[in-house]
Amino acid sequence: LIPRATSFKALRRRGRHILEQVDLTDCAGRKVAALSGGERQRAAAARALVVGPRFLLADEPFAHQDAAHARRLQSLFRAAAQKGATVIITAHKATIPDRGDIDRRWELDDGRLQEASCPSTPC
């Protein structure tokens, strides 16, 4: 963030804000190696989201999260998409907390990628 912010105070404010959003304020200052698997995933999401990305690719971001943290992450990804980011999430069906806001969905079937048919929009 250093090249993006005008002051160190602004950097700290942005950092604290995203840590609050992913429920990691208690982990601020700790080394990543000291975090659990789920905390590491949320820290990675925070690092990606804090810059306001135009593109976000998340591989199994909900896999090691409890239901509340998974919904929180999904909400943050949704907010990024609403701000204009292209968000691509790879996940097993069972790990997606709420599929109601997915615009398009593809599935692998016998090694072939194909768009899934949806009974209604969004799918």
Side-chain angles (χ1 to χ4, degrees):
L1 286 178
I2 291 173
R4 298 173 182 256
T6 58
S7 70
F8 187 70
K9 186 176 180 179
L11 288 175
R12 291 187 63 83
R13 186 174 37 251
R14 285 177 72 177
R16 288 186 195 280
H17 179 69
I18 193 67
L19 287 177
E20 286 173 13
Q21 290 182 308
V22 297
D23 192 27
L24 286 177
T25 52
D26 295 342
C27 298
R30 288 175 47 197
K31 294 184 185 234
V32 174
L35 302 177
S36 71
E39 289 170 336
R40 287 179 188 195
Q41 281 185 290
R42 293 197 313 275
R47 284 193 305 268
L49 290 164
V50 74
V51 296
R54 290 182 46 209
F55 299 94
L56 180 63
L57 177 60
D59 183 21
E60 293 286 350
F62 315 119
H64 299 286
Q65 304 299 320
D66 60 27
H69 284 122
R71 283 191 303 273
R72 184 179 284 200
L73 284 175
Q74 188 173 22
S75 176
L76 292 171
F77 295 151
R78 182 183 307 115
Q82 290 170 345
K83 291 178 183 175
T86 298
V87 180
I88 299 171
I89 298 172
T90 61
H92 291 89
K93 289 180 188 178
T95 66
I96 301 173
D98 173 17
R99 292 187 206 112
D101 62 346
I102 297 172
D103 293 326
R104 296 176 77 182
R105 189 180 86 214
W106 289 271
E107 294 179 351
L108 277 177
D109 185 18
D110 289 330
R112 296 183 120 146
L113 185 65
Q114 54 189 336
E115 190 162 5
S117 59
C118 301
S120 63
T121 301
C123 59

